[in-house]
Amino acid sequence: MKEAQAFAGTKIADVLNAVDALYTDIDKSQAEWKQKTPAPCPDGCGRCCEHFEPDVYEYEALYLGAWLLVHKKELAEDIRLHGAAFSLNYTDGCFLFDPHNPHHCRVYGGRCLICRLFAHSGTRGKDMRVHWKPCKFIEGTEKNREHREYAETELIERFGCFPPDMAQAAARLIALNPENTETRPLREALPAAIEKLKLILRFLTPPEPNSPEPDLPSPRPLSA
Ligand code: SF4
Ligand code: SF4
C-alpha cells in the first residue's frame, strides 16, 4: 500500500498493509458478485449514508486517515482540527457524505469496512451458510424484483455465485488487533487517528528549523 510508505519500519505501516490486504480481498471476492448481481446500486444513490455514520475500529480509522493524508491533505487537516464541525452533513448521517456531489462519499478510496460491505455482502444464517437480501432502496427489475432473503444455494443456482460473508470480514479485522475491540463513531475516531499519524510522521521526519511540514508520497491515480 503506497500510503504506508511514509511509515516504513513502524507498526503503523504493518497495520495499514494488513487492512489494505483485507480490503483488497473483499474487492476480489465482490468482483464476480457485482458483475452478476441482480441488484446493482443505482448511479448516484448513496441513501445508505444519509442517515448513517459508521462506528469504526481504530485500524479502520488509521487506514482512512493515512489515505486522506496522501489524497486529500486539506480535508485531513480540516478533520483533524475541526472534527465533523465543518461537514456538509453535520447533524444526521455520515459527516463525510456530500449531498451535492453525485458520488457522495468524500473519502471513497479510504472508506471503512462496513462502507465496502453494505449491500454487497451476506450474513451467515442458522444453517451456517451465507444469506443475502437486496438493499431496500434498489429499484426492482424483472431479475431482482423480490426484496426477500436469498439462501446461498439459491444464489448459486440463480446467479452462479454469492457475496462475501460480512461476519468473516469483520472477524478478520478484529483479529488484526484483538486487544482493542472498542469501536467509536467515525467523527470521533478519524480526527484522533489523523492526529496520531501526523505525530508519528513528525518523529519519523524531524523538520529542519523553519522548514514546512514533510510531504507524503504523491497520490496514485484513483480507480473508479
Ligand atoms: S446500498 Fe442501497 S442505499 Fe446504498 S447506494 Fe446502494 S442502493 Fe443506494
Ligand atoms: S465514509 Fe463514505 S461510504 Fe462510508 S458512510 Fe461515510 S459517506 Fe458513506
Side-chain angles (χ1 to χ4, degrees):
M1 183 208 188
K2 188 171 181 176
E3 291 82 351
Q5 284 174 11
F7 301 93
T10 69
K11 188 174 176 209
I12 291 288
D14 296 341
V15 167
L16 298 178
N17 284 323
V19 176
D20 192 60
L22 168 61
Y23 289 171
T24 301
D25 286 349
I26 290 170
D27 284 348
K28 281 186 195 155
S29 64
Q30 282 177 333
E32 185 188 9
W33 169 253
K34 283 187 175 175
Q35 195 189 11
K36 296 182 177 172
T37 183
C41 296
D43 283 346
C45 175
R47 291 171 75 177
C48 43
C49 316
E50 281 176 5
H51 306 292
F52 166 79
E53 182 171 299
D55 283 347
V56 298
Y57 294 100
E58 188 189 20
Y59 280 15
E60 292 173 87
L62 287 168
Y63 185 92
L64 176 50
W67 183 89
L68 276 162
L69 286 170
V70 171
H71 298 280
K72 295 199 171 182
K73 207 169 175 178
E74 284 181 18
L75 180 57
E77 193 59 5
D78 274 342
I79 292 169
R80 184 180 75 86
L81 293 174
H82 310 297
F86 76 96
S87 83
L88 303 162
N89 202 44
Y90 179 61
T91 50
D92 184 22
C94 182
F95 81 108
L96 296 169
F97 179 80
D98 181 352
H100 309 302
N101 183 313
H103 302 296
H104 299 307
C105 180
R106 302 176 80 186
V107 298
Y108 191 78
R111 69 200 186 286
C112 321
L113 182 66
I114 186 64
C115 313
R116 292 164 192 269
L117 291 170
F118 190 71
H120 300 291
S121 64
T123 51
R124 206 156 279 267
K126 285 184 187 156
D127 57 359
M128 296 308 288
R129 309 291 286 268
V130 170
H131 291 238
W132 172 82
K133 195 173 178 184
C135 169
K136 65 181 177 182
F137 294 116
I138 290 173
E139 298 288 326
T141 67
E142 267 324 303
K143 219 174 170 188
N144 68 18
R145 193 178 296 278
E146 299 160 85
H147 282 275
R148 64 173 172 85
E149 188 168 294
Y150 294 75
E152 186 178 301
T153 43
E154 188 183 358
L155 291 170
I156 293 172
E157 211 173 276
R158 291 182 66 164
F159 310 117
C161 61
F162 57 90
D165 176 2
M166 183 183 281
Q168 201 174 54
R172 198 171 142 191
L173 179 70
I174 292 168
L176 295 177
N177 190 15
E179 291 85 36
N180 184 359
T181 54
E182 183 197 353
T183 58
R184 295 165 73 191
L186 184 60
R187 64 184 59 208
E188 290 175 18
L190 187 54
I194 295 170
E195 184 72 48
K196 185 172 187 171
L197 292 168
K198 290 200 79 167
L199 184 65
I200 292 166
L201 281 177
R202 276 199 283 278
F203 280 112
L204 288 174
T205 49
E208 296 295 324
N210 302 323
S211 69
E213 278 190 87
D215 274 335
L216 285 162
S218 304
R220 64 185 166 191
L222 286 176
S223 47

